Amino acid sequence: MTTPAVPPPPPVPTVRPGTPAPTPEPGAIPPPDIVRAAYAELVVTDPAASREFYVDLLGLVVTHEDEDTVYLRAFEEYLHHSLVLRRGDGAALAALAYRVRSPGEVDAAERYYRALGVPVERRAAGATRGIGPAVRVLDPLGFPLEFFYEAEHVPRLHQDYDLHGAGAIARLDHFNIVVPDVARAERYYRALGFRVTEDIRGADDTLYASWLHRKDTVHDIALTGGDGPRLHHIAFSTHERGQVLHVCDLLGARRRSAHIERGPGRHGVSNAFYVYVRDPDLHRVEIYTTDYYTGDPDHPVLSWDVRDNQRRDWWGNPVVPSWYAEASTVLDLNGKPQPVFAREENHEAEVTVGADGFSFARDTSPQVGSPS
Amino acid sequence: MTTPAVPPPPPVPTVRPGTPAPTPEPGAIPPPDIVRAAYAELVVTDPAASREFYVDLLGLVVTHEDEDTVYLRAFEEYLHHSLVLRRGDGAALAALAYRVRSPGEVDAAERYYRALGVPVERRAAGATRGIGPAVRVLDPLGFPLEFFYEAEHVPRLHQDYDLHGAGAIARLDHFNIVVPDVARAERYYRALGFRVTEDIRGADDTLYASWLHRKDTVHDIALTGGDGPRLHHIAFSTHERGQVLHVCDLLGARRRSAHIERGPGRHGVSNAFYVYVRDPDLHRVEIYTTDYYTGDPDHPVLSWDVRDNQRRDWWGNPVVPSWYAEASTVLDLNGKPQPVFAREENHEAEVTVGADGFSFARDTSPQVGSPS
Amino acid sequence: MTTPAVPPPPPVPTVRPGTPAPTPEPGAIPPPDIVRAAYAELVVTDPAASREFYVDLLGLVVTHEDEDTVYLRAFEEYLHHSLVLRRGDGAALAALAYRVRSPGEVDAAERYYRALGVPVERRAAGATRGIGPAVRVLDPLGFPLEFFYEAEHVPRLHQDYDLHGAGAIARLDHFNIVVPDVARAERYYRALGFRVTEDIRGADDTLYASWLHRKDTVHDIALTGGDGPRLHHIAFSTHERGQVLHVCDLLGARRRSAHIERGPGRHGVSNAFYVYVRDPDLHRVEIYTTDYYTGDPDHPVLSWDVRDNQRRDWWGNPVVPSWYAEASTVLDLNGKPQPVFAREENHEAEVTVGADGFSFARDTSPQVGSPS
Amino acid sequence: MTTPAVPPPPPVPTVRPGTPAPTPEPGAIPPPDIVRAAYAELVVTDPAASREFYVDLLGLVVTHEDEDTVYLRAFEEYLHHSLVLRRGDGAALAALAYRVRSPGEVDAAERYYRALGVPVERRAAGATRGIGPAVRVLDPLGFPLEFFYEAEHVPRLHQDYDLHGAGAIARLDHFNIVVPDVARAERYYRALGFRVTEDIRGADDTLYASWLHRKDTVHDIALTGGDGPRLHHIAFSTHERGQVLHVCDLLGARRRSAHIERGPGRHGVSNAFYVYVRDPDLHRVEIYTTDYYTGDPDHPVLSWDVRDNQRRDWWGNPVVPSWYAEASTVLDLNGKPQPVFAREENHEAEVTVGADGFSFARDTSPQVGSPS
């Protein structure tokens, strides 16, 4: 470690005007009115092992379970589930589900995606336990999405403090997906009515990552540049940082700290406090807290330079290589793994060697015996 | 990252009986009655830069300063200072000062070290501003130690919450020194009346590190095996984890995150929450909180296996190489750098490759495009 | 205090279906599309004293100030202000401002209130510094409301942790008003597009209080039954409970604890952590944190029984009488104090004698010398 | 509530020199060397109800239990218990136990109290389960004290985070007793080797309360002026404020908030964060955190004026009358209730009418309809 005060200051974030929904072309089919990221369905190879991870370690609540499937929710949620773990032969993402604003918006989703020419599937109420009539599509980015409005209500346990562990998780917050072409994916999500809150760009304006929201938080979906389509992670939120820390302490107590992949830390992007853990199938889960309100229509975009080594971790801690490289396979509507396409633009992990973990700012070469 | 559930469980800590003071040999000179680690005097090359670091970034309080020296304390301290920064040509440790229980114990320290045959120096009151009559010695481990009782009282600011930043530091907690032979250093400190609270050992009973205390906390001094004598770090404590996190957030806000070397994290040893920062001269400072009470005379020793990758970080996060390798030069009583002797036993950083940061449990090799 | 285990359990909250916007009558003028509670304009008698309170004690940021007016915002806000303090002869509320979704919605507000037959005033851009074209109305409940879309953007300081005190306030959260007829006020606000999240009712279905929202939190407006129209309080939110506690600690350090009126505590209603402070003119300000997400369209209503002594404080701590009795005068559009009408239904403070602070559960009669 | 800025500033604390042990008279029997407050034995009328309170609600750990007795400890403790609940006909304190520094100090305690002429009883190892040879005395203040050194070691659970609830209690901290003559009690405890850290005095130098310590915290024993001898409370400590708050949240969740008597709050004296709860027999328990280090031999005394309404609560919140008036009966060595003697000096609750809860600073008279 050489003197830390020397390096030139890295580029700091800039503020750009907000991104209202683009004007649709005349005659275009309007997108469904999406409320928020609502639940994920993950294929797991050993539901008992997964249940132990999500329930005994992370503290999620079981709404229902049978031999092959576990339906989970967090303490503040009153819909039937925000996570479904379903037994399968290979770990994968089966669906990312968005809640829409009314039953009619489920139909709107069907119309919208049929017009896009992608696979669309109507699902009767109960096709997923606890969920009403729904539409599943394989979206233009290659992801299996679901749109639903109706869902079974179950008790919110937000004041059942006697059930809350010290690491109580409040609710599902967002999805993060890996896509080869972030700019294209951002255009697609903006057309769906999402607004950008933050992004990471290169000096050449290459877009490395983008965060977009529907509810009043920093994001419901994040787009991470890489070989895709793959699922980077799903994220649950807690109320305070202490709850994120306790998740880690508890994993340590059970001698399961190997589940911790990255963090805890403070994000630059989103300003949230976080830790990333990996489940028994290596699906990645973020525990996330205290980002900020984004609900105003002109909310500006905070744009980070890819060379800014506080963008991914505000404290400049290096991002572990697995976090950039690994992600979950996604399935098509028939349960077949989607092919992965290589990112053609620069990879963030590559351009930030020197800026992210291995940079001037964190030269970790030993200087044994030197004056300091 | 391969499936985290696979690895065999690492060895867990064992509990050994406490370590009362060894019976002195007949006729032996009794050691001084030490209260606690009290202050450190660091030589810095640019006092203005150091002041900015310790005062503007860490939030310590200036009791006094002149052109070449800054005297600092934390919010709960009523003695004149717990840190002295003195201008010099090369960054180094000038003294580690222990407070003793009475004026007579200063004399006891003089007798004790003269009997040991090491350099001893009486210092008149005010030789260090704010400190009464003192004795400085170059101890058998090669460190410049001071023993004092009298010191100027200044206002404690523990309830001056309007002055406390969000990262308020309460008090100096401990010193950590690098010594080639930890077992020898432990014997020396036990003879001085310190008791062991925790240690790290190998399967062959090699002693890699040891923590010893006088006040009712986990340690006043920690012994880290390595090439020495060198100063590994000094540590200040806060009351809560949120204050440690804020120190990091503030460094990020000032674009000074490069000062953060390791953490924040939860220690295995001591159970404390921590972060390590490096000052402008690369002196290492730990911000530390919520260890535990150790004041009972039979307090047992918690002994960690060097292969346990939760010993240094309870969450299993890797220790950066600089943390093992780098440390501050120490001076003799004439201000001359002490020669550094190589550790002859195994280095912890070497034996824990595979257990600490690069282990089975944290295989970070990319698996791009794999199912997960 | 007699044995606390004896009393019969109080009634617990019940869950009712959500309250979608009522179907407007045919031909009705649609209400403006409101985004959220945006700013309050308070008349204060001594702006310097008020500035000291809001800036030096609470830590709000001054966007602009002149001799008679101070414009303040919190650390996460990018609009020009969320609080205006304007000098006047008597302490009062001059306006509660809602942000609407687009410039056209300002016109919609004008149409809507003109159709209601209440006083309406167009205000040119800059009539309030930093605010674009706006409409002010004296609404049917007797409150001066403003509707605006355009506002000057200023830097968000959400990551300027070096500026944040330990009690950093993030943003304005909500308004709470006193109205004689809560049911009528609730109908009015529901017609405006607000949805109820929680309420307090008596056994006879008397409505004592109601919480309604536009943004994804528990409320933008709360309706408190009492003599009105009066302003009960405005509320700012922090991210964590520790920040609320620090506001209190700092007031203590400045020997200004008399500003604390009630709390800190945990609300039953909203589940938020809170403290109420009074400014130099006795305007009441709540510091509030960690309520819950409410943005789904079918969010159910949590309905509390007025006899439940955990409804106002989850820990059962008594509500001080001033909190029920005192509130700020509101002005009409000409700056004249609005007359106050008496509540004709029961007052919550009266029906809850026995349930709130003076109840079986908190019998505080001394029993000196008794076995316990 | 009238304008809070008006009142004259209350008197602030003053700093006095520390209180070293007084010089014993020639030939005096030296007192035992006490380490710390170690455990309390409470007589309870329904052990099952008490167990539910201390274990299910407060989260203490059962080391052992039989039909009539429950032995409890907190998560960081390795001695057999810090609280014994024993069935009896009337709720009372059976013993306050201090740990001494060695087996020989148990004998020293016997000699010391025999010289004082008070009842003394030797107890064989196991007389209290888990405790070695001990001495019980009825001390000059009328309290049943125990002195012991040997005790059974049990596992410390300080890193068993999977067992810790969100309100995890770390260890017993102190006892607080009610005595009619505080100055006399203070002299007695100082002769026993305790040092004063803080006190509350009147303008006439009346001593209302005093805090004294052996271990490095603000107190092992507090002396509260009132009719006595009675036990005011025992206190357990947590690491952070959030854990104190969770105890309250959990009591609310179980609809047991009536157990909360006072707080949560920040003490003026000790600067600790606290809440007082009452057990099913109305024994009072404090949950306490983040006081400060006191272990230096010249630690100064912080002396509070009884008229300072931040002395008992830094936020100026009123002390409920039961807290001043109620306390537990204490037993003699034969299990007979000790007679209670009236305090002859002023009672703090009386002199602080006007300064504590009912003072100028917290005038809570309603001003319905006034401008504010």
Side-chain angles (χ1 to χ4, degrees):
Chain A
M1 192 165 188
T2 52
T3 304
V6 178
V12 296
T14 54
V15 177
R16 291 189 289 112
T19 61
T23 310
E25 295 184 23
I29 306 289
D33 185 354
I34 294 171
V35 174
R36 63 174 174 94
Y39 81 86
E41 179 179 333
L42 298 178
V43 179
V44 298
T45 56
D46 181 348
S50 298
R51 184 196 196 282
E52 190 262 357
F53 178 78
Y54 287 101
V55 177
D56 298 346
L57 299 183
L58 298 193
L60 293 178
V61 177
V62 177
T63 297
H64 185 82
E65 61 189 319
D66 55 36
E67 200 180 327
D68 287 334
T69 320
V70 189
Y71 304 84
L72 299 167
R73 70 184 194 279
F75 288 109
E76 286 189 7
E77 295 175 327
Y78 65 90
L79 294 196
H80 185 268
H81 57 257
S82 54
L83 179 60
V84 179
L85 306 172
R86 185 163 56 77
R87 183 196 304 276
D89 290 335
L93 170 70
L96 296 174
Y98 290 110
R99 193 170 197 202
V100 294
R101 199 162 301 278
S102 68
E105 296 297 327
V106 177
D107 302 328
E110 180 176 7
R111 284 193 300 272
Y112 185 75
Y113 283 97
R114 288 210 189 278
L116 290 178
V118 298
V120 173
E121 180 184 305
R122 290 293 314 203
R123 288 165 65 92
T128 296
R129 188 184 186 95
I131 302 297
V135 162
R136 283 204 178 176
V137 310
L138 193 67
D139 84 352
L141 306 179
F143 288 87
L145 302 187
E146 176 173 306
F147 300 88
F148 74 97
Y149 169 73
E150 290 177 13
E152 185 182 332
H153 286 208
V154 291
R156 285 174 70 222
L157 303 171
H158 68 304
Q159 294 187 309
D160 293 62
Y161 289 103
D162 46 342
L163 305 182
H164 296 194
I169 291 175
R171 58 177 176 73
L172 182 78
D173 189 77
H174 64 261
F175 309 136
N176 184 313
I177 59 176
V178 187
V179 295
D181 183 339
V182 178
R184 176 188 166 226
E186 187 185 278
R187 282 192 302 274
Y188 159 68
Y189 263 103
R190 284 190 56 200
L192 256 178
F194 288 67
R195 288 183 308 186
V196 180
T197 54
E198 308 204 19
D199 63 21
I200 296 176
R201 289 176 183 276
D204 57 355
D205 221 38
T206 304
L207 187 56
Y208 289 92
S210 179
W211 286 256
L212 303 100
H213 78 106
R214 287 292 302 176
K215 69 181 180 312
D216 293 354
T217 63
V218 170
H219 55 321
D220 290 278
I221 188 79
L223 311 171
T224 299
D227 306 337
R230 293 183 299 158
L231 173 69
H232 194 272
H233 66 265
I234 61 172
F236 289 91
S237 66
T238 67
H239 276 297
E240 298 205 343
R241 296 168 300 172
Q243 294 160 319
V244 174
L245 299 177
H246 184 82
V247 168
C248 301
D249 285 339
L250 186 150
L251 288 168
R254 294 279 180 85
R255 288 286 163 176
R256 301 286 288 278
S257 62
H259 286 286
I260 301 171
E261 182 189 33
R262 178 185 159 206
R266 166 82 67 191
H267 283 308
V269 172
S270 82
N271 198 35
F273 193 84
Y274 72 89
V275 69
Y276 294 95
V277 294
R278 304 291 290 271
D279 83 1
D281 286 291
L282 292 179
H283 293 305
R284 185 182 287 109
V285 177
E286 182 180 17
I287 316 293
Y288 175 98
T289 192
T290 55
D291 62 353
Y292 55 83
Y293 169 80
T294 61
D296 274 25
D298 59 352
H299 191 90
V301 176
L302 197 58
S303 190
W304 298 73
D305 191 300
V306 73
R307 295 163 303 173
D308 179 350
N309 76 345
Q310 292 187 189
R311 74 194 185 289
R312 290 278 183 193
D313 186 274
W314 185 245
W315 309 332
N317 277 323
V319 176
V320 296
S322 65
W323 190 90
Y324 279 124
E326 302 179 19
S328 295
T329 296
V330 303
L331 304 181
D332 67 17
L333 300 189
N334 301 313
K336 220 185 94 195
Q338 285 279 81
V340 170
F341 297 92
R343 175 170 169 86
E344 299 186 355
E345 293 172 294
N346 286 331
H347 284 257
E348 183 175 341
E350 291 157 9
V351 297
T352 56
V353 171
D356 202 1
F358 314 101
S359 70
F360 53 84
R362 290 293 175 97
D363 178 350
T364 55
S365 55
Q367 307 192 347
V368 180
S370 77
S372 50
Chain B
M1 191 163 186
T2 52
T3 305
V6 178
V12 296
T14 55
V15 176
R16 292 189 289 111
T19 61
T23 309
E25 296 183 24
I29 306 288
D33 185 354
I34 294 171
V35 174
R36 63 174 174 93
Y39 81 86
E41 179 179 333
L42 298 178
V43 178
V44 299
T45 56
D46 182 348
S50 298
R51 185 196 196 283
E52 191 262 356
F53 178 78
Y54 287 100
V55 176
D56 297 346
L57 299 183
L58 299 193
L60 292 178
V61 177
V62 177
T63 297
H64 185 80
E65 60 189 320
D66 54 37
E67 200 180 327
D68 286 334
T69 319
V70 189
Y71 304 83
L72 300 168
R73 70 186 195 276
F75 289 110
E76 286 189 7
E77 295 175 328
Y78 66 89
L79 295 196
H80 185 269
H81 58 257
S82 55
L83 180 60
V84 179
L85 307 172
R86 185 163 56 78
R87 183 196 302 274
D89 290 336
L93 170 70
L96 296 175
Y98 291 109
R99 192 171 199 202
V100 294
R101 199 162 299 280
S102 68
E105 296 296 327
V106 178
D107 302 328
E110 180 176 8
R111 284 192 300 271
Y112 185 75
Y113 283 97
R114 289 208 188 277
L116 291 179
V118 297
V120 173
E121 180 184 306
R122 289 294 312 204
R123 287 165 67 91
T128 295
R129 188 185 185 95
I131 302 297
V135 161
R136 284 204 177 177
V137 310
L138 193 67
D139 83 353
L141 306 179
F143 288 87
L145 301 187
E146 176 172 307
F147 300 88
F148 75 97
Y149 169 73
E150 289 176 14
E152 184 182 334
H153 285 210
V154 291
R156 284 173 70 224
L157 303 171
H158 68 304
Q159 293 188 308
D160 293 61
Y161 289 103
D162 46 342
L163 305 182
H164 297 194
I169 290 175
R171 57 176 177 74
L172 182 79
D173 189 78
H174 64 261
F175 309 135
N176 184 313
I177 59 176
V178 187
V179 294
D181 183 339
V182 178
R184 175 187 167 228
E186 187 185 279
R187 282 193 303 275
Y188 159 67
Y189 263 103
R190 284 190 57 200
L192 257 179
F194 288 68
R195 288 182 310 184
V196 180
T197 54
E198 308 205 19
D199 64 20
I200 296 176
R201 290 176 182 275
D204 57 355
D205 220 39
T206 303
L207 187 56
Y208 289 92
S210 179
W211 285 256
L212 303 101
H213 78 105
R214 287 293 303 178
K215 70 180 179 313
D216 292 353
T217 64
V218 170
H219 55 322
D220 289 279
I221 187 78
L223 311 171
T224 299
D227 306 338
R230 292 182 299 157
L231 172 70
H232 194 272
H233 65 264
I234 61 172
F236 289 92
S237 67
T238 67
H239 277 297
E240 298 206 343
R241 296 168 300 172
Q243 293 161 318
V244 174
L245 299 176
H246 185 81
V247 168
C248 301
D249 285 339
L250 186 150
L251 288 168
R254 293 278 180 87
R255 289 288 164 173
R256 301 284 288 276
S257 63
H259 286 286
I260 301 172
E261 181 189 34
R262 177 184 160 207
R266 165 82 68 190
H267 284 307
V269 173
S270 82
N271 198 36
F273 194 84
Y274 71 89
V275 70
Y276 294 95
V277 293
R278 304 291 290 271
D279 83 1
D281 286 293
L282 292 179
H283 293 304
R284 186 181 286 109
V285 177
E286 183 179 17
I287 317 293
Y288 176 95
T289 192
T290 58
D291 61 353
Y292 54 83
Y293 168 80
T294 60
D296 274 26
D298 59 351
H299 191 89
V301 176
L302 196 59
S303 190
W304 298 73
D305 191 300
V306 73
R307 295 162 304 173
D308 180 349
N309 76 344
Q310 293 187 189
R311 74 196 184 289
R312 289 279 184 191
D313 186 274
W314 185 245
W315 309 332
N317 278 324
V319 176
V320 295
S322 66
W323 190 90
Y324 279 124
E326 302 179 17
S328 295
T329 295
V330 303
L331 304 181
D332 66 17
L333 299 188
N334 301 313
K336 218 184 94 195
Q338 284 278 81
V340 170
F341 297 91
R343 174 171 169 85
E344 299 187 355
E345 293 172 294
N346 285 331
H347 283 258
E348 184 175 342
E350 290 157 9
V351 297
T352 55
V353 171
D356 202 2
F358 313 101
S359 71
F360 53 84
R362 290 293 175 96
D363 178 351
T364 55
S365 54
Q367 307 192 347
V368 181
S370 77
S372 53
Chain C
M1 192 163 184
T2 52
T3 306
V6 178
V12 295
T14 55
V15 176
R16 291 188 290 111
T19 62
T23 311
E25 295 184 23
I29 307 290
D33 185 355
I34 293 171
V35 174
R36 63 174 174 94
Y39 81 85
E41 179 179 334
L42 298 178
V43 178
V44 298
T45 56
D46 181 349
S50 298
R51 185 196 196 283
E52 191 261 357
F53 178 78
Y54 286 101
V55 177
D56 298 346
L57 300 183
L58 298 193
L60 292 179
V61 176
V62 177
T63 297
H64 185 80
E65 61 188 319
D66 55 37
E67 200 181 327
D68 286 333
T69 319
V70 188
Y71 304 83
L72 300 167
R73 70 186 194 277
F75 288 109
E76 286 189 8
E77 295 175 328
Y78 65 90
L79 295 197
H80 186 268
H81 58 258
S82 54
L83 179 60
V84 179
L85 306 172
R86 185 163 57 76
R87 183 197 303 274
D89 291 334
L93 170 71
L96 296 174
Y98 291 110
R99 192 172 199 200
V100 294
R101 199 160 301 277
S102 68
E105 296 296 328
V106 176
D107 303 328
E110 179 176 9
R111 285 192 300 273
Y112 185 75
Y113 283 97
R114 290 209 187 277
L116 290 179
V118 298
V120 173
E121 180 184 306
R122 291 292 315 202
R123 287 165 67 91
T128 296
R129 188 183 185 96
I131 302 297
V135 161
R136 285 203 177 176
V137 309
L138 192 67
D139 85 352
L141 306 179
F143 287 86
L145 302 186
E146 176 172 306
F147 300 88
F148 74 96
Y149 169 73
E150 290 176 11
E152 185 182 332
H153 286 208
V154 292
R156 284 174 70 224
L157 303 171
H158 68 304
Q159 293 186 309
D160 293 61
Y161 289 103
D162 47 341
L163 304 182
H164 296 193
I169 290 175
R171 58 176 175 74
L172 182 78
D173 188 78
H174 64 261
F175 308 135
N176 184 313
I177 59 176
V178 187
V179 294
D181 184 339
V182 178
R184 176 188 167 226
E186 186 185 279
R187 282 193 302 275
Y188 159 68
Y189 262 103
R190 286 191 53 201
L192 257 178
F194 288 68
R195 289 182 308 184
V196 180
T197 54
E198 307 205 20
D199 63 21
I200 296 176
R201 289 176 182 274
D204 58 355
D205 221 37
T206 302
L207 188 55
Y208 289 92
S210 179
W211 284 255
L212 302 101
H213 77 106
R214 286 292 303 177
K215 69 180 180 311
D216 292 354
T217 63
V218 171
H219 55 320
D220 289 279
I221 187 79
L223 311 171
T224 298
D227 306 339
R230 292 183 299 158
L231 173 69
H232 194 273
H233 66 264
I234 61 172
F236 288 92
S237 66
T238 67
H239 276 298
E240 298 206 343
R241 295 168 300 172
Q243 294 161 319
V244 174
L245 299 176
H246 185 81
V247 169
C248 301
D249 285 340
L250 186 150
L251 288 169
R254 295 278 179 88
R255 289 286 164 174
R256 302 285 288 276
S257 63
H259 286 286
I260 301 172
E261 181 189 33
R262 178 186 158 204
R266 165 82 68 190
H267 283 308
V269 172
S270 83
N271 199 35
F273 193 84
Y274 71 89
V275 71
Y276 293 95
V277 294
R278 304 292 290 273
D279 84 1
D281 286 293
L282 293 178
H283 292 304
R284 184 182 288 110
V285 176
E286 183 180 16
I287 315 294
Y288 176 97
T289 192
T290 56
D291 61 353
Y292 54 84
Y293 169 79
T294 61
D296 274 25
D298 58 353
H299 191 89
V301 176
L302 197 58
S303 189
W304 298 72
D305 191 300
V306 73
R307 294 163 305 174
D308 180 349
N309 76 345
Q310 292 187 191
R311 74 194 184 289
R312 289 278 184 192
D313 185 275
W314 185 245
W315 309 332
N317 277 323
V319 176
V320 295
S322 66
W323 191 90
Y324 278 124
E326 302 178 17
S328 295
T329 296
V330 303
L331 303 181
D332 67 17
L333 299 188
N334 301 314
K336 219 185 96 196
Q338 284 280 78
V340 170
F341 298 92
R343 175 170 168 85
E344 299 185 354
E345 293 171 294
N346 286 330
H347 283 258
E348 184 175 341
E350 291 158 9
V351 298
T352 54
V353 170
D356 202 0
F358 314 100
S359 72
F360 53 84
R362 289 293 175 96
D363 178 351
T364 55
S365 54
Q367 306 190 346
V368 180
S370 77
S372 53
Chain D
M1 190 163 186
T2 52
T3 306
V6 177
V12 296
T14 54
V15 177
R16 292 189 290 110
T19 62
T23 310
E25 297 184 22
I29 307 289
D33 186 354
I34 294 171
V35 175
R36 63 173 173 94
Y39 81 86
E41 179 180 333
L42 298 178
V43 179
V44 298
T45 56
D46 181 350
S50 298
R51 184 196 197 282
E52 191 262 357
F53 178 78
Y54 287 100
V55 177
D56 297 346
L57 299 183
L58 298 193
L60 293 178
V61 177
V62 177
T63 296
H64 184 80
E65 61 188 319
D66 55 36
E67 200 180 328
D68 286 334
T69 319
V70 189
Y71 304 83
L72 300 168
R73 71 185 194 278
F75 288 109
E76 286 189 8
E77 295 175 328
Y78 66 89
L79 295 196
H80 186 267
H81 58 257
S82 54
L83 179 61
V84 179
L85 306 172
R86 184 163 57 76
R87 183 196 303 276
D89 290 335
L93 170 70
L96 296 175
Y98 291 109
R99 193 172 198 201
V100 293
R101 199 161 300 279
S102 69
E105 296 296 327
V106 177
D107 302 328
E110 180 176 8
R111 284 192 300 272
Y112 185 75
Y113 283 98
R114 289 209 188 277
L116 291 179
V118 297
V120 173
E121 181 185 303
R122 290 292 315 202
R123 288 165 66 92
T128 295
R129 188 184 185 98
I131 302 297
V135 161
R136 283 203 179 179
V137 309
L138 192 68
D139 84 353
L141 306 179
F143 287 87
L145 301 187
E146 176 172 307
F147 300 87
F148 74 97
Y149 169 72
E150 290 176 13
E152 184 182 333
H153 286 208
V154 292
R156 284 173 71 222
L157 304 171
H158 68 304
Q159 293 187 310
D160 293 61
Y161 290 103
D162 47 342
L163 305 182
H164 296 194
I169 290 175
R171 57 176 175 74
L172 182 78
D173 188 78
H174 65 262
F175 308 135
N176 184 314
I177 59 176
V178 187
V179 294
D181 183 340
V182 179
R184 176 187 166 226
E186 188 185 278
R187 283 193 302 273
Y188 160 67
Y189 263 103
R190 286 190 55 201
L192 257 178
F194 288 67
R195 288 183 309 183
V196 180
T197 53
E198 307 205 20
D199 63 21
I200 295 176
R201 290 176 182 272
D204 57 355
D205 220 39
T206 302
L207 187 56
Y208 288 92
S210 179
W211 284 255
L212 303 101
H213 78 105
R214 287 290 305 176
K215 70 180 178 315
D216 292 353
T217 63
V218 171
H219 55 321
D220 289 278
I221 187 77
L223 311 171
T224 299
D227 306 339
R230 292 182 299 158
L231 172 70
H232 194 273
H233 66 263
I234 61 173
F236 289 92
S237 68
T238 67
H239 277 297
E240 298 206 342
R241 296 167 301 172
Q243 293 160 319
V244 174
L245 298 177
H246 184 82
V247 168
C248 301
D249 285 340
L250 186 149
L251 287 168
R254 294 279 179 87
R255 288 287 165 175
R256 301 284 288 277
S257 63
H259 286 287
I260 301 171
E261 181 189 33
R262 178 185 159 205
R266 165 83 66 192
H267 283 308
V269 173
S270 83
N271 199 34
F273 194 84
Y274 71 90
V275 71
Y276 294 95
V277 294
R278 304 293 289 272
D279 84 1
D281 286 293
L282 293 178
H283 292 304
R284 185 181 286 110
V285 177
E286 182 179 17
I287 316 295
Y288 176 96
T289 193
T290 56
D291 61 353
Y292 54 84
Y293 168 80
T294 60
D296 274 25
D298 59 352
H299 191 89
V301 176
L302 197 58
S303 190
W304 298 73
D305 191 300
V306 73
R307 295 162 304 173
D308 180 348
N309 75 344
Q310 291 187 191
R311 75 196 183 289
R312 290 279 184 190
D313 186 272
W314 185 244
W315 308 333
N317 277 323
V319 177
V320 294
S322 65
W323 191 91
Y324 279 124
E326 301 179 17
S328 295
T329 296
V330 303
L331 304 180
D332 67 18
L333 299 189
N334 301 312
K336 218 184 96 195
Q338 284 279 78
V340 170
F341 297 91
R343 174 170 170 86
E344 299 187 354
E345 293 171 293
N346 286 331
H347 283 258
E348 183 175 342
E350 291 157 9
V351 297
T352 55
V353 172
D356 201 2
F358 312 101
S359 71
F360 53 84
R362 288 294 175 96
D363 179 350
T364 55
S365 54
Q367 307 191 346
V368 181
S370 77
S372 51

